[in-house]
Amino acid sequence: MFNQHAPALKREGAPHDSAAAEVVRRSRYPSRLSMYSSAPDLEVSIEEFETFALDRLQVLRAIEDAQLRGRGEDDVRRRVGEALEKHLPMQSNRARAAARQVIGQRRKDHVSHFILRLAFSRTEELRGWFLRQESALLRHRFREADTAERAELLAAAKLQARHLAADARDAQLGETASAFYGAQEAVYEVDFERVPDLVARAQVVVRGGHAYVAASDVAALLVNEFRDALARSLAVCARALPQLGEDERLLPVLQSLTNQSARAEYQSTGAAGAVTADSVDALAAMFPPCMQHLHAQLLREHHLRHGGRMQLGLFLKGAGLRLPDALVYWRRAFSNMTDDQFQKGYAYNVRHNYGAEGRRVDYAPYSCHRIITSNPPGPGDHHGCPFRHFSADRLRTALHSTRLPDADVREISDLARAGHCQVACTRHLEARLAQRRQQQPDQPPSDAAHVPSIASPNQYLDLLLTDGRGTRSKTERTATGTDAILAGPKPQNAQPQPYSYA
């Protein structure tokens, strides 16, 4: 572990000297930085259990989103900081706050970590996601902490590392290697396998199987140690998880949390107002790419297979198309068949989606997660996500057809190729909003340079209709032409350009 004779890090001011600060220091949560090495031994209510976990999940989502969409390190730090302040704030020991409040914040942080640790141990994919986001969270908090808090965490972590002051470093590494570091900079000697990130970036000197980590880079060593310990703990949790199979209170909550890691179910704001059978085709200009593709194929072929009908039909339902209008719209769309064929083969399915048949379940529109991960399209199918299921060439062609700038097309295509489908869709929406602002310079300024990450096609529609805000008044809809779009005539002889999944 760290050499006990190593010089202590300089404190940036003493903790706030008060009775409240002393109570915090003597509590089970003396610091706001933690390696989460011991599970909490306390009782929490079911309400706290779910609320704590959901708030932490919001933070982990924001970290993932910031790393993918942040424009530079400062922007990433700002985004993560804002998410923490909103969902998981923690004050330092120096803050002038009641001890109960500070301890409560740290209790929530500690408990929520272990809840999600249990929930995300179910599969290798979930464990990997949780490891990445929790490691990034620790890195952010360590970077934002003062030196006193950092020193306390490093001491608590008991890292297996040998401290070398500048003179000892020079004697061991020689003048050439020592010139790699600052003149008076201490280093820590560790096995090189423990700092793969620093080795890969050539930020350490490696000699005889050891890496010499500069004191300024010790965060990487700490995070790697945390990641390794957390990976082992997740494996233990995975083996213990089947024992919870009979707990009817806990297991559904854990399963719900992992489902929500890919975004919670979106509730439409009704930005489109009342959608009718006559207004769908005009409104299609505002659809997200997946629904524009389905709509184009429906106009072209006058038919969609079951997967496409479900995806588009529930989207239209969520947008505001009521059952009577839905029956009229789908009957018109399936114009190559008789009324009897439509009633026997397709009308039941439309009514079923609205809860008017069968078990009378009121089905929700598909989320992006469901579209991306389940029931991939086969030959002759048109459902799915363009950013996941289109070929690279076809996606670029589709993006160019919307007249987006080449730089946006490249960025969106790169995100899709890397598997960040929802981020690619979000960037597509941002590019369309920017394009609209350029075409309408007389409109009031918009703050929609960045929109919330897309979790549902209906969210995309609402945001596009509202300049990135999600909701607006009847007056705003009329002023910006949304009502005119909805009331517009059905296009005649439309010739949509189909996209291919090949």
Side-chain angles (χ1 to χ4, degrees):
M1 62 184 157
F2 276 99
N3 190 320
Q4 62 180 344
H5 300 297
L9 294 174
K10 181 181 178 181
R11 290 177 175 267
E12 294 180 354
H16 178 56
D17 192 12
S18 68
E22 185 62 25
V23 170
V24 172
R25 281 193 291 267
R26 293 179 179 275
S27 73
R28 68 173 71 189
Y29 310 111
S31 173
R32 58 178 175 171
L33 295 181
S34 175
M35 297 286 281
Y36 307 104
S37 55
S38 59
D41 183 16
L42 46 81
E43 291 185 359
V44 293
S45 67
I46 290 294
E47 291 76 18
E48 280 187 322
F49 188 94
E50 188 166 12
T51 301
F52 287 4
L54 287 173
D55 282 345
R56 191 180 195 89
L57 187 55
Q58 293 280 9
V59 171
L60 299 188
R61 287 179 187 164
I63 290 172
E64 180 185 41
D65 188 64
Q67 291 177 327
L68 292 172
R69 299 179 61 204
R71 299 180 182 275
E73 183 178 349
D74 289 343
D75 189 38
V76 171
R77 293 174 70 172
R78 177 187 61 79
R79 288 169 179 256
V80 175
E82 289 175 353
L84 282 169
E85 185 63 28
K86 181 177 181 181
H87 300 289
L88 209 61
M90 283 202 297
Q91 294 173 296
S92 72
N93 290 353
R94 297 159 57 199
R96 293 181 178 274
R100 183 175 181 178
Q101 178 185 0
V102 175
I103 293 171
Q105 291 173 341
R106 296 176 185 181
R107 172 179 177 269
K108 176 181 178 179
D109 175 72
H110 201 71
V111 170
S112 64
H113 168 85
F114 281 93
I115 295 172
L116 293 191
R117 181 187 290 195
L118 184 61
F120 280 79
S121 66
R122 291 168 51 203
T123 68
E124 183 177 354
E125 181 181 4
L126 290 173
R127 290 193 293 271
W129 186 88
F130 184 67
L131 272 172
R132 290 191 298 273
Q133 312 321 320
E134 283 286 341
S135 298
L137 175 57
L138 178 63
R139 185 182 298 109
H140 173 86
R141 283 176 164 170
F142 188 82
R143 183 170 50 199
E144 299 298 318
D146 62 39
T147 47
E149 291 174 315
R150 293 181 189 179
E152 290 171 0
L153 184 63
L154 290 172
K158 299 180 180 179
L159 301 177
Q160 297 298 315
R162 186 164 71 101
H163 177 266
L164 295 176
D167 54 349
R169 175 203 69 191
D170 292 345
Q172 182 144 339
L173 298 181
E175 293 183 2
T176 303
S178 295
F180 184 84
Y181 304 99
Q184 299 299 319
E185 188 170 24
V187 298
Y188 294 94
E189 181 189 76
V190 299
D191 292 338
F192 78 94
E193 299 99 331
R194 294 175 58 198
V195 285
D197 296 344
L198 297 180
V199 172
R201 295 197 299 267
Q203 289 183 235
V204 292
V205 172
V206 178
R207 290 279 181 86
H210 294 102
Y212 294 86
V213 180
S216 57
D217 289 327
V218 74
L221 178 61
L222 180 75
V223 170
N224 285 333
E225 193 76 11
F226 172 75
R227 184 188 294 117
D228 291 344
L230 181 55
R232 292 192 295 270
S233 296
L234 286 168
V236 173
C237 287
R239 292 192 294 270
L241 199 58
Q243 300 176 19
L244 298 176
E246 298 181 359
D247 192 324
E248 296 180 355
R249 300 172 305 162
L250 189 59
L251 196 59
V253 176
L254 296 177
Q255 291 173 338
S256 174
L257 289 170
T258 54
N259 290 338
Q260 292 184 66
S261 67
R263 311 292 183 198
E265 181 179 299
Y266 177 72
Q267 300 294 327
S268 177
T269 63
V275 182
T276 68
D278 293 328
S279 66
V280 169
D281 291 337
L283 184 63
M286 313 294 280
F287 287 179
C290 57
M291 299 304 169
Q292 283 191 336
H293 172 61
L294 283 168
H295 177 260
Q297 293 295 342
L298 180 60
L299 291 182
R300 177 184 175 86
E301 300 176 5
H302 305 288
H303 184 267
L304 284 175
R305 290 187 175 182
H306 179 74
R309 296 198 306 273
M310 290 293 293
Q311 184 173 321
L312 180 60
L314 291 174
F315 167 78
L316 293 174
K317 174 188 174 185
L321 185 68
R322 298 181 181 276
L323 176 57
D325 278 289
L327 288 166
V328 172
Y329 175 76
W330 285 103
R331 176 64 192 97
R332 289 176 180 171
F334 283 34
S335 58
N336 289 348
M337 63 181 63
T338 65
D339 286 340
D340 187 58
Q341 288 175 319
F342 178 78
Q343 289 298 328
K344 289 181 178 179
Y346 301 97
Y348 177 90
N349 177 250
V350 176
R351 293 194 295 270
H352 188 270
N353 284 349
Y354 282 77
E357 297 284 1
R359 294 184 298 156
R360 302 189 181 278
V361 176
D362 188 19
Y363 292 96
Y366 286 176
S367 67
C368 290
H369 177 66
R370 179 167 182 173
I371 293 171
I372 292 167
T373 61
S374 63
N375 188 26
D381 288 329
H382 302 298
H383 63 274
C385 171
F387 303 107
R388 173 65 179 85
H389 300 115
F390 276 20
S391 67
D393 289 341
R394 181 55 67 181
L395 177 60
R396 282 193 295 271
T397 300
L399 294 173
H400 279 299
S401 72
T402 59
R403 299 190 179 126
L404 292 180
D406 290 344
D408 288 333
V409 170
R410 285 193 298 271
E411 181 183 1
I412 294 168
S413 298
D414 289 345
L415 286 167
R417 184 170 60 252
H420 306 307
C421 305
Q422 290 172 245
V423 180
C425 190
T426 304
R427 283 294 300 122
H428 184 269
L429 174 59
E430 290 174 343
R432 288 183 71 179
L433 288 169
Q435 191 178 53
R436 176 191 290 174
R437 302 308 304 177
Q438 292 175 352
Q439 295 170 351
Q440 300 176 340
D442 57 325
Q443 291 295 321
S446 172
D447 57 359
H450 298 288
V451 299
S453 294
I454 297 301
S456 160
N458 290 89
Q459 180 190 14
Y460 184 111
L461 175 66
D462 288 347
L463 288 169
L464 187 57
L465 286 171
T466 59
D467 284 335
R469 298 197 306 277
T471 58
R472 66 173 153 193
S473 67
K474 169 74 174 179
T475 303
E476 289 179 301
R477 290 203 304 272
T478 303
T480 54
T482 305
D483 286 347
I485 291 174
L486 296 177
K490 180 180 177 180
Q492 299 296 321
N493 302 319
Q495 296 296 327
Q497 175 63 43
Y499 303 147
S500 170
Y501 287 101

